[in-house]
Amino acid sequence: QLQLVESGGGLVQPGGSLRLSCTASGFGLDTYEFGWFRQAPGKEREGISCIGWGQLRTHYADSVKGRFTISRDNAKNTVYLQMNSLKPEDTAVYVCAAARDPFRPVCTVEVREGQYDNWGQGTQVTVRS
């Protein structure tokens, strides 16, 4: 079981940027795939991005495509979510998740909660003037 800790959230004005970090502890981290989810008040949790164990495989929800970038640094056991051109509708609690599957990719075009079995506590992102 991994322990995931998110950081980097905060208050930012529309059009601004934030970089979220998800630091993982455990064994074999480079074999895990990671996803970022967010949940706004009164809304369902939304899968917004994921990254495979290789940097080449990444996916984004349409709501963040072109504005957010996911990356990972295996040496630092950390996954990042660079968020640019932030909008008020990006306001949510952002949560990092991880999983590994020896038989099929975890990170797929649809970023689904059910594909992940390790979850962080989340970090609040608020976008307002």
Side-chain angles (χ1 to χ4, degrees):
Q1 199 77 358
L2 295 185
Q3 183 176 12
L4 304 176
V5 179
E6 302 92 339
S7 61
L11 174 63
V12 64
Q13 292 187 341
S17 298
L18 282 175
R19 188 177 78 160
L20 305 183
S21 299
C22 171
T23 301
S25 59
F27 295 101
L29 293 171
D30 56 347
T31 64
Y32 279 82
E33 304 185 34
F34 291 82
W36 281 100
F37 294 77
R38 67 184 181 185
Q39 188 163 20
K43 294 189 177 181
E44 293 185 355
R45 184 175 286 180
E46 176 189 16
I48 57 173
S49 184
C50 63
I51 187 166
W53 44 262
Q55 294 271 15
L56 293 179
R57 183 158 48 89
T58 60
H59 294 292
Y60 299 91
D62 288 342
S63 57
V64 305
K65 198 172 293 182
R67 300 187 298 123
F68 291 10
T69 303
I70 191 170
S71 62
R72 63 189 292 168
D73 186 336
N74 289 338
K76 296 183 178 180
N77 296 336
T78 301
V79 176
Y80 303 99
L81 186 69
Q82 178 66 43
M83 306 187 297
N84 299 329
S85 303
L86 283 162
K87 306 174 182 179
E89 51 264 43
D90 293 320
T91 295
V93 175
Y94 284 71
V95 183
C96 174
R100 61 182 174 183
D101 188 327
F103 303 108
R104 61 182 63 86
V106 174
C107 175
T108 58
V109 173
E110 292 188 37
V111 185
R112 298 175 182 163
E113 283 188 64
Q115 294 167 286
Y116 298 87
D117 53 8
N118 296 274
W119 292 85
Q121 293 298 310
T123 185
Q124 176 70 46
V125 172
T126 302
V127 185
R128 68 166 183 252
S129 301

